[in-house]
Amino acid sequence: MSTTQKTDVIIVGAGASGLAAARSLRERGVRVEVLEARDRIGGRIFTHRDPRAPAPIELGAEFVHGSAPEVMAIVREAGLLAVDVPDDRWEHRGRNRIPSRDFWRRLEHIMGRMNASREPDRSFYEFLATKPGGRKFARDRMLAREYVENFHAADPLRISERALAKGGSPHGDVNEQRIGRLLDGYDHVPGWLSRKPHDAVRLRTVVRAIEWEPDAVHVDTSKGSFAARAAILTLPIGVLQARPGDAGAVSIHPAIAKHEEALSLVTTGPVTRMVLLFREEFWRKGKLAKMSFLQGSDPDVPVWWTLAPLRAPMLVAWAGGRRGAALALLSPEERRDRAIASAARHFGVPRRKLASLLVDFWTHNWEEDPFSRGAYSYPLVGGSKAGEMLARPIRGTLYVAGEATVDEADSGTVHGAIRSGRRAATQLARHLGAGA
Ligand SMILES: Cc1cc2nc3c(=O)[nH]c(=O)nc-3n(C[C@H](O)[C@H](O)[C@H](O)COP(=O)(O)OP(=O)(O)OC[C@H]3O[C@@H](n4cnc5c(N)ncnc54)[C@H](O)[C@@H]3O)c2cc1C
């Protein structure tokens, strides 16, 4: 007969938010068990290494977006190296590559016209249909649309104008416009977060069901049962929305009406991200020598970037929203071929030549991954408060954290996920009377 293991707090998920919550509770003397379905920590931070590649290969999060104080504090404490990505942006139009000057200002021409307290809320598409800025800003509207589809991984027909107005772009804040990257790989961040609760993380432990009543939680997993006074759930939105019987799905009994309402107001966007290693930096011969980003409206892969300021023969191909979803349906080989064809269009180099320069290619299918079910969340029309609703504790017993439970400005980010885990830990510690 299997026994039930007892602890103070169960944390479901060892991504950035779960590990941050665990560390924070352990520092307050609370006993925790972190239950993680995968055979690794980090969740949507997924760094791969290959001796042929001069830099770590990021299959999930790569950038430090804006000031990201939670990530930068870890960078300092863990002695990691971070670099600023130069803002050398280019646009691909027809057969031309044109410097994309004033990217942020042009984006703001459109994003700055949305209304954060609009009643009723409407979709970004409906907002764009009013042609904000008139004829003069037609190109900037296109830029904003690509930004929302790619960066937010969102469907313009579904994403909330209110949420985007509030935090969908850095507006004029130069600190929030900055993008950085961690030279040694993003996995050092979950690695640092897990140092203290290391012994408390149980890998390959798939949570299937949670039964709860005030101050008591019982969790059924692939590795037996666990009991605690409270639980912090850091499951991605797609997993919380999965139907009973779907891989990774977790049934919660009794169901939480408030959470179900919030879950109907948010969804997860698709992203296909591919890393290509070439024999040489073929783009350095022309005017793109120092480029960081190259973007346009390519039907397959609309965004490309280098590892600038590093010199490495590696490119990242990115497609968010509908294009990301379409690519995710293909086999990895087909995705690679689409990426090569798209790179040939973007960089003006024959496809055959690029194929011969390719050393290897890496990607992870976040759509089909049962423990992520998509890349990251965005609020639907009427859902600008969904994250706030999810973050409200249930009877001092169930707490929800994760990237979807913070403001739109920080959702879908690593620093947002860390912040949410610490918030849930503080709420719970207060309830348990376990330190500030
Ligand atoms: C392709 C891609 C690119 C990104 N780029 C960036 C970027 O450049 N910068 C940035 O800041 N952010 C980026 N993000 C977003 C960032 O990675 C996430 O916001 C953040 O890592 C989410 O952390 P989390 O703890 O909320 O969720 P997760 O990291 O998903 O953690 C949840 C954990 O729960 C586990 N789990 C799921 N189901 C179960 C179950 N049934 N039982 C037990 N465990 C379960 C999962 O395995 C996972 O480990 C990107 C994400 C993707 C997918």
Side-chain angles (χ1 to χ4, degrees), residues 4-11 21-34 196-197 199-202 226-232 425 428-429 432 434:
T4 298
Q5 307 191 47
K6 295 199 172 81
T7 186
D8 294 333
V9 174
I10 288 166
I11 295 174
R23 189 177 170 111
S24 171
L25 286 171
R26 289 279 290 248
E27 282 169 358
R28 291 157 153 129
V30 178
R31 286 184 310 152
V32 300
E33 291 279 354
V34 185
K196 276 201 177 163
D199 52 340
V201 180
R202 291 179 189 250
F226 293 80
R229 286 179 64 184
I232 299 179
L428 178 44
L432 297 176

Short mmCIF file of all heavy atoms in Angstrom, two decimals, residues 4-11 21-34 196-197 199-202 226-232 425 428-429 432 434:
data_model
loop_
_atom_site.label_atom_id
_atom_site.label_comp_id
_atom_site.label_asym_id
_atom_site.label_seq_id
_atom_site.Cartn_x
_atom_site.Cartn_y
_atom_site.Cartn_z
N THR A 4 1.11 8.24 1.98
CA THR A 4 1.00 9.63 1.56
C THR A 4 2.13 10.42 2.23
O THR A 4 2.33 10.33 3.44
CB THR A 4 -0.36 10.20 2.00
OG1 THR A 4 -1.37 9.46 1.34
CG2 THR A 4 -0.49 11.66 1.65
N GLN A 5 2.87 11.17 1.43
CA GLN A 5 3.97 11.96 1.99
C GLN A 5 3.44 13.32 2.43
O GLN A 5 2.71 13.95 1.67
CB GLN A 5 5.06 12.09 0.96
CG GLN A 5 5.44 10.71 0.45
CD GLN A 5 6.69 10.75 -0.37
OE1 GLN A 5 7.67 11.35 0.03
NE2 GLN A 5 6.65 10.10 -1.51
N LYS A 6 3.86 13.74 3.63
CA LYS A 6 3.28 14.97 4.19
C LYS A 6 4.31 16.10 4.21
O LYS A 6 5.49 15.87 4.47
CB LYS A 6 2.78 14.70 5.60
CG LYS A 6 1.63 13.71 5.62
CD LYS A 6 0.85 13.80 6.94
CE LYS A 6 -0.39 12.95 6.87
NZ LYS A 6 -0.19 11.55 7.12
N THR A 7 3.84 17.29 3.96
CA THR A 7 4.70 18.47 4.03
C THR A 7 3.82 19.68 4.37
O THR A 7 2.61 19.54 4.53
CB THR A 7 5.46 18.66 2.70
OG1 THR A 7 6.38 19.73 2.83
CG2 THR A 7 4.52 18.96 1.53
N ASP A 8 4.44 20.88 4.48
CA ASP A 8 3.62 22.08 4.76
C ASP A 8 2.92 22.55 3.49
O ASP A 8 1.73 22.82 3.47
CB ASP A 8 4.49 23.23 5.28
CG ASP A 8 5.09 22.91 6.65
OD1 ASP A 8 4.47 22.13 7.40
OD2 ASP A 8 6.18 23.44 6.97
N VAL A 9 3.73 22.69 2.41
CA VAL A 9 3.20 23.29 1.18
C VAL A 9 3.66 22.47 -0.04
O VAL A 9 4.84 22.13 -0.15
CB VAL A 9 3.70 24.75 1.03
CG1 VAL A 9 3.27 25.34 -0.32
CG2 VAL A 9 3.17 25.63 2.16
N ILE A 10 2.73 22.20 -0.91
CA ILE A 10 3.07 21.55 -2.18
C ILE A 10 3.08 22.61 -3.27
O ILE A 10 2.16 23.43 -3.36
CB ILE A 10 2.02 20.46 -2.52
CG1 ILE A 10 2.20 19.27 -1.57
CG2 ILE A 10 2.15 20.01 -3.97
CD1 ILE A 10 1.05 18.31 -1.59
N ILE A 11 4.14 22.58 -4.07
CA ILE A 11 4.20 23.50 -5.21
C ILE A 11 4.15 22.65 -6.47
O ILE A 11 4.95 21.72 -6.62
CB ILE A 11 5.48 24.36 -5.15
CG1 ILE A 11 5.42 25.25 -3.90
CG2 ILE A 11 5.63 25.20 -6.41
CD1 ILE A 11 6.65 26.03 -3.62
N ALA A 21 8.85 30.53 -5.74
CA ALA A 21 7.95 30.37 -4.58
C ALA A 21 8.61 29.44 -3.55
O ALA A 21 8.61 29.71 -2.35
CB ALA A 21 6.61 29.80 -5.05
N ALA A 22 9.19 28.35 -4.04
CA ALA A 22 9.80 27.37 -3.13
C ALA A 22 10.94 28.00 -2.35
O ALA A 22 11.05 27.85 -1.12
CB ALA A 22 10.30 26.17 -3.93
N ARG A 23 11.78 28.72 -3.05
CA ARG A 23 12.93 29.33 -2.39
C ARG A 23 12.47 30.33 -1.32
O ARG A 23 12.98 30.35 -0.20
CB ARG A 23 13.80 30.03 -3.45
CG ARG A 23 15.11 30.51 -2.90
CD ARG A 23 15.97 31.12 -3.98
NE ARG A 23 17.11 31.76 -3.35
CZ ARG A 23 18.35 31.31 -3.45
NH1 ARG A 23 18.63 30.27 -4.17
NH2 ARG A 23 19.34 31.95 -2.82
N SER A 24 11.48 31.11 -1.70
CA SER A 24 10.99 32.13 -0.79
C SER A 24 10.37 31.48 0.46
O SER A 24 10.58 31.96 1.59
CB SER A 24 9.98 32.96 -1.58
OG SER A 24 9.31 33.83 -0.79
N LEU A 25 9.64 30.39 0.30
CA LEU A 25 9.04 29.73 1.47
C LEU A 25 10.10 29.06 2.33
O LEU A 25 10.05 29.10 3.56
CB LEU A 25 7.98 28.72 1.02
CG LEU A 25 6.67 29.33 0.52
CD1 LEU A 25 5.77 28.28 -0.09
CD2 LEU A 25 5.93 30.05 1.66
N ARG A 26 11.06 28.43 1.67
CA ARG A 26 12.13 27.76 2.44
C ARG A 26 12.91 28.77 3.28
O ARG A 26 13.31 28.48 4.39
CB ARG A 26 13.08 27.03 1.50
CG ARG A 26 12.47 25.80 0.87
CD ARG A 26 12.51 24.61 1.81
NE ARG A 26 13.86 24.14 1.98
CZ ARG A 26 14.32 22.98 1.55
NH1 ARG A 26 13.52 22.16 0.93
NH2 ARG A 26 15.58 22.64 1.75
N GLU A 27 13.12 29.95 2.71
CA GLU A 27 13.84 30.99 3.46
C GLU A 27 13.06 31.41 4.71
O GLU A 27 13.63 31.94 5.64
CB GLU A 27 14.11 32.21 2.56
CG GLU A 27 15.27 31.97 1.62
CD GLU A 27 15.41 33.02 0.53
OE1 GLU A 27 14.57 33.95 0.47
OE2 GLU A 27 16.36 32.90 -0.26
N ARG A 28 11.74 31.16 4.70
CA ARG A 28 10.91 31.50 5.87
C ARG A 28 10.70 30.28 6.76
O ARG A 28 9.83 30.28 7.62
CB ARG A 28 9.56 32.01 5.40
CG ARG A 28 9.64 33.36 4.71
CD ARG A 28 8.42 33.51 3.83
NE ARG A 28 8.08 34.89 3.64
CZ ARG A 28 7.87 35.44 2.44
NH1 ARG A 28 7.99 34.73 1.35
NH2 ARG A 28 7.54 36.71 2.34
N GLY A 29 11.40 29.21 6.48
CA GLY A 29 11.33 28.03 7.34
C GLY A 29 10.14 27.13 7.06
O GLY A 29 9.80 26.27 7.89
N VAL A 30 9.49 27.31 5.89
CA VAL A 30 8.33 26.47 5.57
C VAL A 30 8.82 25.25 4.78
O VAL A 30 9.65 25.37 3.88
CB VAL A 30 7.32 27.29 4.71
CG1 VAL A 30 6.12 26.43 4.33
CG2 VAL A 30 6.88 28.55 5.44
N ARG A 31 8.32 24.08 5.11
CA ARG A 31 8.70 22.86 4.38
C ARG A 31 7.91 22.79 3.08
O ARG A 31 6.69 22.96 3.08
CB ARG A 31 8.37 21.61 5.21
CG ARG A 31 9.30 21.38 6.39
CD ARG A 31 8.94 20.08 7.08
NE ARG A 31 7.51 20.02 7.37
CZ ARG A 31 6.80 18.90 7.46
NH1 ARG A 31 7.37 17.73 7.25
NH2 ARG A 31 5.50 18.92 7.75
N VAL A 32 8.63 22.55 1.98
CA VAL A 32 7.92 22.48 0.69
C VAL A 32 8.34 21.24 -0.10
O VAL A 32 9.44 20.73 0.08
CB VAL A 32 8.20 23.72 -0.21
CG1 VAL A 32 7.77 25.01 0.45
CG2 VAL A 32 9.66 23.81 -0.61
N GLU A 33 7.44 20.79 -0.95
CA GLU A 33 7.77 19.75 -1.94
C GLU A 33 7.37 20.35 -3.28
O GLU A 33 6.23 20.82 -3.44
CB GLU A 33 6.93 18.49 -1.72
CG GLU A 33 7.25 17.71 -0.48
CD GLU A 33 8.47 16.80 -0.63
OE1 GLU A 33 9.00 16.69 -1.76
OE2 GLU A 33 8.88 16.23 0.40
N VAL A 34 8.30 20.33 -4.24
CA VAL A 34 7.98 20.83 -5.58
C VAL A 34 7.78 19.62 -6.49
O VAL A 34 8.70 18.81 -6.65
CB VAL A 34 9.11 21.73 -6.13
CG1 VAL A 34 8.70 22.34 -7.47
CG2 VAL A 34 9.47 22.83 -5.14
N LYS A 196 18.63 26.44 -3.24
CA LYS A 196 18.23 26.19 -1.86
C LYS A 196 17.19 25.08 -1.73
O LYS A 196 17.37 24.19 -0.92
CB LYS A 196 17.73 27.48 -1.22
CG LYS A 196 18.89 28.29 -0.70
CD LYS A 196 18.44 29.26 0.35
CE LYS A 196 19.67 29.99 0.89
NZ LYS A 196 19.29 31.20 1.60
N PRO A 197 16.14 25.09 -2.59
CA PRO A 197 15.18 24.01 -2.38
C PRO A 197 15.51 22.77 -3.18
O PRO A 197 14.65 21.97 -3.46
CB PRO A 197 13.87 24.63 -2.86
CG PRO A 197 14.27 25.57 -3.93
CD PRO A 197 15.69 26.00 -3.63
N ASP A 199 16.78 19.83 -2.86
CA ASP A 199 16.35 18.50 -2.42
C ASP A 199 14.83 18.38 -2.42
O ASP A 199 14.28 17.30 -2.29
CB ASP A 199 16.91 18.21 -1.03
CG ASP A 199 16.60 19.32 -0.05
OD1 ASP A 199 16.31 20.45 -0.49
OD2 ASP A 199 16.62 19.07 1.14
N ALA A 200 14.14 19.53 -2.54
CA ALA A 200 12.68 19.48 -2.45
C ALA A 200 12.02 19.31 -3.80
O ALA A 200 10.82 19.19 -3.88
CB ALA A 200 12.18 20.76 -1.81
N VAL A 201 12.81 19.30 -4.91
CA VAL A 201 12.19 19.16 -6.24
C VAL A 201 12.11 17.68 -6.61
O VAL A 201 13.12 16.98 -6.61
CB VAL A 201 12.99 19.92 -7.33
CG1 VAL A 201 12.32 19.75 -8.70
CG2 VAL A 201 13.11 21.40 -7.00
N ARG A 202 10.90 17.24 -6.92
CA ARG A 202 10.73 15.84 -7.37
C ARG A 202 10.41 15.86 -8.86
O ARG A 202 9.33 16.29 -9.25
CB ARG A 202 9.59 15.18 -6.61
CG ARG A 202 9.98 14.98 -5.17
CD ARG A 202 8.85 14.35 -4.42
NE ARG A 202 9.19 14.37 -3.02
CZ ARG A 202 9.48 13.28 -2.33
NH1 ARG A 202 9.47 12.11 -2.92
NH2 ARG A 202 9.78 13.37 -1.04
N PHE A 226 0.59 13.01 -2.03
CA PHE A 226 1.20 13.99 -1.13
C PHE A 226 0.08 14.76 -0.43
O PHE A 226 -0.97 14.99 -1.02
CB PHE A 226 2.05 14.98 -1.95
CG PHE A 226 3.25 14.35 -2.58
CD1 PHE A 226 3.12 13.62 -3.76
CD2 PHE A 226 4.51 14.45 -2.01
CE1 PHE A 226 4.22 13.02 -4.35
CE2 PHE A 226 5.61 13.86 -2.59
CZ PHE A 226 5.47 13.14 -3.77
N ALA A 227 0.35 15.13 0.81
CA ALA A 227 -0.63 15.92 1.55
C ALA A 227 0.06 17.13 2.16
O ALA A 227 1.25 17.06 2.52
CB ALA A 227 -1.27 15.07 2.64
N ALA A 228 -0.67 18.25 2.25
CA ALA A 228 -0.08 19.47 2.81
C ALA A 228 -1.20 20.38 3.30
O ALA A 228 -2.38 20.09 3.08
CB ALA A 228 0.73 20.18 1.73
N ARG A 229 -0.80 21.46 3.95
CA ARG A 229 -1.81 22.43 4.41
C ARG A 229 -2.29 23.31 3.27
O ARG A 229 -3.39 23.83 3.28
CB ARG A 229 -1.20 23.32 5.50
CG ARG A 229 -1.07 22.60 6.83
CD ARG A 229 -0.45 23.51 7.85
NE ARG A 229 -1.31 24.67 8.16
CZ ARG A 229 -0.95 25.64 8.96
NH1 ARG A 229 0.24 25.63 9.54
NH2 ARG A 229 -1.77 26.65 9.20
N ALA A 230 -1.39 23.50 2.28
CA ALA A 230 -1.75 24.42 1.18
C ALA A 230 -0.95 24.04 -0.06
O ALA A 230 0.03 23.28 0.03
CB ALA A 230 -1.43 25.85 1.59
N ALA A 231 -1.37 24.58 -1.21
CA ALA A 231 -0.62 24.31 -2.45
C ALA A 231 -0.53 25.58 -3.29
O ALA A 231 -1.44 26.41 -3.28
CB ALA A 231 -1.30 23.21 -3.26
N ILE A 232 0.60 25.69 -3.98
CA ILE A 232 0.76 26.76 -4.98
C ILE A 232 0.81 26.08 -6.35
O ILE A 232 1.65 25.21 -6.59
CB ILE A 232 2.06 27.57 -4.75
CG1 ILE A 232 2.02 28.25 -3.38
CG2 ILE A 232 2.24 28.61 -5.85
CD1 ILE A 232 3.27 29.06 -3.03
N ALA A 425 4.08 33.10 -2.53
CA ALA A 425 4.77 32.66 -1.30
C ALA A 425 4.49 33.63 -0.16
O ALA A 425 4.25 33.21 0.99
CB ALA A 425 6.27 32.56 -1.56
N LEU A 428 0.90 33.20 1.10
CA LEU A 428 0.77 31.96 1.85
C LEU A 428 1.48 32.03 3.20
O LEU A 428 0.96 31.58 4.23
CB LEU A 428 1.32 30.81 0.98
CG LEU A 428 1.35 29.39 1.51
CD1 LEU A 428 0.06 29.02 2.21
CD2 LEU A 428 1.57 28.44 0.36
N ALA A 429 2.67 32.63 3.19
CA ALA A 429 3.43 32.74 4.45
C ALA A 429 2.63 33.55 5.46
O ALA A 429 2.60 33.23 6.65
CB ALA A 429 4.79 33.40 4.17
N LEU A 432 0.06 31.37 6.93
CA LEU A 432 0.62 30.37 7.85
C LEU A 432 1.28 31.03 9.06
O LEU A 432 1.75 30.34 9.96
CB LEU A 432 1.67 29.50 7.12
CG LEU A 432 1.20 28.65 5.93
CD1 LEU A 432 2.38 27.95 5.28
CD2 LEU A 432 0.17 27.61 6.40
N ALA A 434 4.12 32.62 8.87
CA ALA A 434 5.53 32.19 8.77
C ALA A 434 6.43 33.31 8.27
O ALA A 434 7.08 33.19 7.24
CB ALA A 434 5.63 30.99 7.83
#
